[in-house]
């Protein structure tokens, strides 16, 4: 799969439970090295399942490919010429990867944008069906670029897909009655109000929004990895989408309405059910079977819902006991393993660290040494 290979570097995989998405129960495989992500995911999902589950939907699965034209002398004239050629250019794209059209996909539309006096972008939307589509699109774009050079004698700077996949969106919502949110003697309504307030802060403040979105991506990336997809592509699209209105904001929103906390998350999710490394890595096929999914759209619905559950669990912890308390045991476990404890020693060392109120690596090593005496 890669160049200059020396070895495999393995990541842990776990399962998140309690996912009820569009009235179907799912087991969700997650690949992550971060402690507490899967526990938080299952916790958020269990609250939402008790509230009736997620309602998820997906847009068309169109990916945008870009051809950037440079040294343009008369951009308005060029745009008119491209417009005249649109049908022809779309069919050139389709002929470059004919099997996609046979499957019901292919080039759908073409738009032009003036980026600067001398630079014009051609955006071509391609229905990628069940694949993520990067390689297929790049092949199609290069054919169109060649045609433009021949017919219009126009210089092409580059042709490549855009990861800002605004035409391949997934959306999920949940509606949680206040009473499901009460904890530690605090009324659910108070917690709900604090979560809505936390959501508001992520809309107002970029410093908070970045961390808010990191929490969402903790869950999303883990399922993207487990499903054999390209998490860098999903990350770049998600963060670009978070800044779509000119300011980087939280990807999710939380609002109160008539005794309910309403959560919503929307982001580009151009994941594939086939293609890329999906058919190559055996565990990916097992994970698809574990999820019992049959399409890229179904996978999108699960992944966007994982993002919202992850966000709920994080906000719930933040506005109640704080993020560290619930996760401390899991974080300490990593510290203790790093200090050299084996599986038979881990729990005892974590207990001693908690008793002594120690949270640092030196203390973990010292406690382990004392334990072994
Ligand atoms: P592939 O190159 O593997 O193409 C998809 C494959 O899936 C094709 O071979 C196609 O077969 C096959 N296929 C089978 N059934 C279907 C179906 N129902 N719908 C669609 N295709 C089907 O992968 P992608 O083009 O999806 O590219 C994804 C890869 O590209 C990822 O590994 C990604 O990391 C990488 N990449 C990402 C970039 C980015 O994000 N900027 C840039 C470049 C690469 P057939 O040939 O018969 O049509």
């Amino acid at each position: 799969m890669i160049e200059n290979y020396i070895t495999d570097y393995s990541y842990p995989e776990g399962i998140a439970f309690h996912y009820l998405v569009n009235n179907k129960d799912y087991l969700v495989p997650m690949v992550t090295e971060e402690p507490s992500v899967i526990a938080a995911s299952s916790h958020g999902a269990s609250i939402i399942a008790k509230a009736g589950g997620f309602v998820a939907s997906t847009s068309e699965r169109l990916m945008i490919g870009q051809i950037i034209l440079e040294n343009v002398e008369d951009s308005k004239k060029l745009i008119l010429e491209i417009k005249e050629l649109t049908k022809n250019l779309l069919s050139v794209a389709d002929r470059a990867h004919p099997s996609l059209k046979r499957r019901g996909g292919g080039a759908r539309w073409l738009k032009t944008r003036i980026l600067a006096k001398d630079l014009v972008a051609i955006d071509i939307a391609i229905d990628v069906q069940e694949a993520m589509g990067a390689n297929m699109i790049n092949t199609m774009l290069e054919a169109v670029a060649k045609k433009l050079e021949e017919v219009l004698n126009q210089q092409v700077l580059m042709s490549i897909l855009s990861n800002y996949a605004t035409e391949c969106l997934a959306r999920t919502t949940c509606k949680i009655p206040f009473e499901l949110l009460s904890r530690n003697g605090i009324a659910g309504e108070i917690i709900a109000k604090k979560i809505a307030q936390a959501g508001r802060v992520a809309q107002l403040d970029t410093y908070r929004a970045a961390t808010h979105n990191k929490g969402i991506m903790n869950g999303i990336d883990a399922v993207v990895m487990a499903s054999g997809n390209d998490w860098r592509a999903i990350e770049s699209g998600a963060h670009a989408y978070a800044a779509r209105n000119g300011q980087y904001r939280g990807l999710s929103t939380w609002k109160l309405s008539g005794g309910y906390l309403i959560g919503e998350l929307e982001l580009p999710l151009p994941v594939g059910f086939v293609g890329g490394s999906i058919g190559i890595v055996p565990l990916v096929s097992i994970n698809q079977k574990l999820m019992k999914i049959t399409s890229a759209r179904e996978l999108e619905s699960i992944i966007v819902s994982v993002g919202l559950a992850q966000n709920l669990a994080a906000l719930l912890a933040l506005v109640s006991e704080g993020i560290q308390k619930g996760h401390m045991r899991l974080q300490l476990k990593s510290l203790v393993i790093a200090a050299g404890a084996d599986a038979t020693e881990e729990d005892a060392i974590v207990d001693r660290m908690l008793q002594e109120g120690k949270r640092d690596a030196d203390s973990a090593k010292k406690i382990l040494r004392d334990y072994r005496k």
Side-chain angles (χ1 to χ4, degrees):
M1 292 169 73
I2 62 159
E3 310 72 41
N4 303 351
Y5 172 82
I6 52 164
T7 185
D8 284 345
Y9 175 108
S10 66
Y11 261 44
E13 174 172 333
I15 292 181
F17 297 104
H18 312 303
Y19 273 92
L20 178 63
V21 182
N22 294 338
N23 294 319
K24 187 173 163 187
D25 283 312
Y26 291 98
L27 293 176
V28 182
M30 298 177 82
V31 173
T32 179
E33 88 296 350
E34 188 173 340
S36 82
V37 165
I38 299 177
S41 194
S42 302
H43 179 51
S46 75
I47 296 170
I48 295 169
K50 283 182 206 138
F54 300 88
V55 177
S57 57
T58 55
S59 70
E60 281 185 289
R61 289 180 45 80
L62 300 183
M63 289 291 281
I64 308 286
Q66 294 195 295
I67 300 174
I68 309 290
L69 307 175
E70 66 170 340
N71 298 326
V72 175
E73 278 166 16
D74 184 344
S75 53
K76 289 203 175 121
K77 178 166 163 274
L78 179 64
I79 284 173
L80 285 176
E81 287 170 342
I82 293 168
K83 216 170 178 183
E84 292 276 298
L85 282 171
T86 296
K87 223 174 142 195
N88 188 270
L89 295 175
L90 294 180
S91 92
V92 168
D94 281 337
R95 282 202 301 275
H97 200 107
S99 50
L100 188 57
K101 196 166 166 79
R102 279 202 298 277
R103 291 196 172 96
R108 290 285 181 260
W109 49 254
L110 178 156
K111 287 179 188 163
T112 47
R113 285 177 299 126
I114 299 174
L115 303 183
K117 217 166 102 242
D118 57 331
L119 289 172
V120 167
I122 303 180
D123 300 335
I124 302 183
I126 295 167
D127 181 335
V128 290
Q129 295 285 294
E130 291 298 319
M132 180 265 196
N135 287 321
M136 297 191 292
I137 294 173
N138 292 342
T139 307
M140 293 162 87
L141 292 175
E142 280 176 15
V144 175
K146 192 157 170 268
K147 187 78 178 173
L148 284 166
E149 282 169 341
E150 281 165 17
V151 177
L152 299 179
N153 198 24
Q154 174 56 53
Q155 278 183 48
V156 173
L157 177 65
M158 65 171 94
S159 333
I160 187 157
L161 95 155
S162 167
N163 289 110
Y164 188 27
T166 53
E167 310 300 317
C168 184
L169 298 175
R171 184 171 178 274
T172 197
T173 58
C174 64
K175 189 176 172 189
I176 308 167
F178 289 164
E179 59 268 24
L180 288 180
L181 296 166
S182 69
R183 54 172 41 204
N184 305 337
I186 309 171
E189 183 172 359
I190 293 174
I191 304 256
K193 281 183 178 157
K194 283 181 181 286
I195 291 175
Q197 189 75 303
R200 204 175 136 226
V201 174
Q203 294 301 309
L204 294 170
D205 178 40
T206 301
Y207 281 95
R208 175 61 207 143
T211 317
H212 182 96
N213 290 343
K214 193 275 180 182
I216 290 173
M217 300 313 287
N218 272 343
I220 289 183
D221 286 344
V223 192
V224 168
M225 292 259 284
S227 64
N229 277 285
D230 180 341
W231 56 268
R232 287 86 55 205
I234 300 302
E235 280 278 341
S236 63
H239 296 295
Y241 198 65
R244 66 193 176 282
N245 296 324
Q247 185 193 320
Y248 185 92
R249 298 177 196 277
L251 284 162
S252 64
T253 57
W254 293 96
K255 299 208 167 92
L256 304 173
S257 171
Y260 292 90
L261 175 69
I262 315 264
E264 191 180 316
L265 173 64
E266 182 180 79
L267 77 161
L269 268 182
V271 287
F273 187 65
V274 297
S277 67
I278 292 165
I280 303 171
V281 180
L283 256 180
V284 171
S285 312
I286 293 171
N287 288 341
Q288 286 182 338
K289 285 187 188 128
L290 204 63
M291 283 186 274
K292 295 194 177 145
I293 54 170
T294 55
S295 70
R297 277 200 152 97
E298 196 176 3
L299 179 59
E300 282 184 51
S301 297
I302 296 174
I303 295 176
V304 70
S305 300
V306 169
L308 193 60
Q310 211 75 42
N311 190 220
L312 174 66
L315 295 183
L316 194 57
L318 278 172
V319 303
S320 52
E321 71 261 27
I323 204 84
Q324 283 305 77
K325 186 165 179 246
H327 299 170
M328 186 47 75
R329 198 176 171 88
L330 296 166
Q331 306 284 4
L332 282 180
K333 200 165 168 185
S334 297
L335 212 58
V336 161
I337 293 170
D342 65 29
T344 62
E345 297 167 326
E346 283 164 19
D347 281 339
I349 309 299
V350 168
D351 286 342
R352 283 200 190 178
M353 290 192 74
L354 283 169
Q355 277 160 17
E356 294 179 24
K358 304 287 190 207
R359 306 281 184 265
D360 61 293
D362 282 346
S363 303
K365 282 183 195 148
K366 183 175 175 305
I367 291 172
L368 180 61
R369 269 198 310 274
D370 293 346
Y371 179 81
R372 283 178 176 168
K373 274 181 196 161

